[in-house]
Amino acid sequence: MDLQEGLKYISSYTSKLLRNKFGRGPEACFAATADQFLVLQIRGFISPMEEVLLQENQRIQVEHARDVIIKSIVAELKGVFQVTLETEVKTFFHDWNFPNNTGVIIAELENPLIPMKKSEEINFSLLESEVARISELVEKTPEETSSFQISPKVIIVKREGILVPIEKALIEEGFKKELHFTKDDLEKNICTAMESLIKYFSVRLPISLLTGTLKMITA
C-alpha cells in the first residue's frame, strides 16, 4: 500500500471509528502528513446529544465526554498507524471547534513519512513571531516556537515552554482539565487577532491548529 492509499484508508477507518463510538460519523475526514506529523481534519461531527447539550451551554460536559471517547479511539488508531504506515506514534493530540463544527486529530510520529516542503510565499518567521505575541497575551511568550507546513492549507505551530508557575501548580494539584478548558477559551476568543495575518498569507488555516490548546494523549 503506497502512502496516499494508506492516508485514504486511515481517513475512512477514522470515520468508521467515530461513527461506531458516537452513533454518527463526520461529514468529511481528510488525512495529510509531512515531517513527523499526520493530521486528520474532521468536519461536520456533532452528535444529536452533543448538539442539545451545547444549546444548553453545557460545552464543558461535552468536552469531557468527547475526551474520554477520543482516548479509546486513538488507542485503536495507534495500531492502524503502525500496520498501515509502518511507523510508531509518539503522541496524539486532538481539539474541537464546536461553533465551526470542525476538529483535528494529530499524530506525532517516530519517523517522518515524507519531507516537509514550506511554501516560499509564506513568511514563517513572521507567523511564529505573531503566534508568540498572541501567546503572551494569554500566558507567556513560548520558550520555543516552530512551524510545520503539512499541506498547502494546513500549518502547525508548535509552542514549548508556555506554562507560568501558577499553571504548573494547578496541574500538580489535579486541575489540568479545568486549566485546559479555560486557556482554550481564552486563546480561541483572541483568534480574531490573527485574521489580518491569515489574510496576509492568503491561505485558509484551521484556527484550532494555529492557536488552540490541543489535548495531548500519550500513545
Side-chain angles (χ1 to χ4, degrees):
M1 185 182 299
D2 66 23
L3 180 57
Q4 289 306 313
E5 289 179 347
L7 293 176
K8 288 181 181 178
Y9 176 78
I10 287 172
S11 297
S12 175
Y13 193 90
T14 301
S15 293
K16 291 177 182 177
L17 271 180
L18 292 171
R19 184 178 301 110
N20 291 339
K21 297 291 186 179
F22 287 90
R24 64 167 294 181
E27 294 175 4
C29 180
F30 304 101
T33 186
D35 205 271
Q36 72 262 41
F37 294 103
L38 189 150
V39 177
L40 286 161
Q41 292 178 272
I42 299 164
R43 292 205 306 263
F45 180 57
I46 295 179
S47 70
M49 182 184 70
E50 290 176 328
E51 190 170 359
V52 171
L53 289 171
L54 290 170
Q55 290 172 352
E56 297 296 324
N57 296 317
Q58 301 295 318
R59 184 188 62 81
I60 291 181
Q61 285 79 356
V62 174
E63 290 261 18
H64 274 299
R66 185 169 282 199
D67 189 43
V68 172
I69 298 174
I70 292 298
K71 284 180 179 178
S72 69
I73 287 175
V74 298
E76 189 167 342
L77 279 179
K78 181 182 179 182
V80 175
F81 278 38
Q82 291 171 335
V83 174
T84 306
L85 304 175
E86 299 181 351
T87 185
E88 298 289 332
V89 178
K90 292 169 61 177
T91 311
F92 280 101
F93 303 87
H94 69 98
D95 189 36
W96 308 92
N97 187 321
F98 292 113
N100 291 342
N101 202 358
T102 59
V104 63
I105 297 175
I106 300 175
E108 187 173 4
L109 308 174
E110 288 282 357
N111 302 304
L113 299 174
I114 57 174
M116 176 177 57
K117 295 181 180 179
K118 283 191 170 182
S119 171
E120 296 181 357
E121 298 178 358
I122 298 177
N123 187 333
F124 286 91
S125 177
L126 175 61
L127 173 62
E128 292 169 9
S129 297
E130 183 67 2
V131 170
R133 183 187 70 80
I134 291 176
S135 295
E136 187 177 13
L137 299 177
V138 179
E139 50 262 309
K140 70 170 188 176
T141 302
E143 295 174 5
E144 184 177 346
T145 306
S146 51
S147 57
F148 306 83
Q149 184 162 14
I150 308 305
S151 73
K153 294 184 179 180
V154 177
I155 292 175
I156 293 175
V157 178
K158 183 177 181 180
R159 303 169 300 162
E160 298 183 70
I162 61 173
L163 294 177
V164 298
I166 192 170
E167 292 174 328
K168 294 178 182 179
L170 286 169
I171 291 172
E172 290 176 358
E173 293 297 322
F175 294 100
K176 182 178 180 179
K177 285 185 179 293
E178 290 79 3
L179 177 63
H180 170 85
F181 291 136
T182 302
K183 289 183 64 174
D184 196 39
D185 281 343
L186 287 171
E187 292 189 333
K188 284 175 178 172
N189 287 336
I190 209 168
C191 280
T192 51
M194 298 290 290
E195 288 180 356
S196 60
L197 192 62
I198 293 172
K199 291 177 181 177
Y200 171 78
F201 290 142
S202 299
V203 292
R204 296 176 59 196
L205 303 179
I207 291 298
S208 60
L209 287 184
L210 262 169
T211 56
T213 304
L214 302 179
K215 303 174 189 70
M216 182 176 71
I217 302 173
T218 303

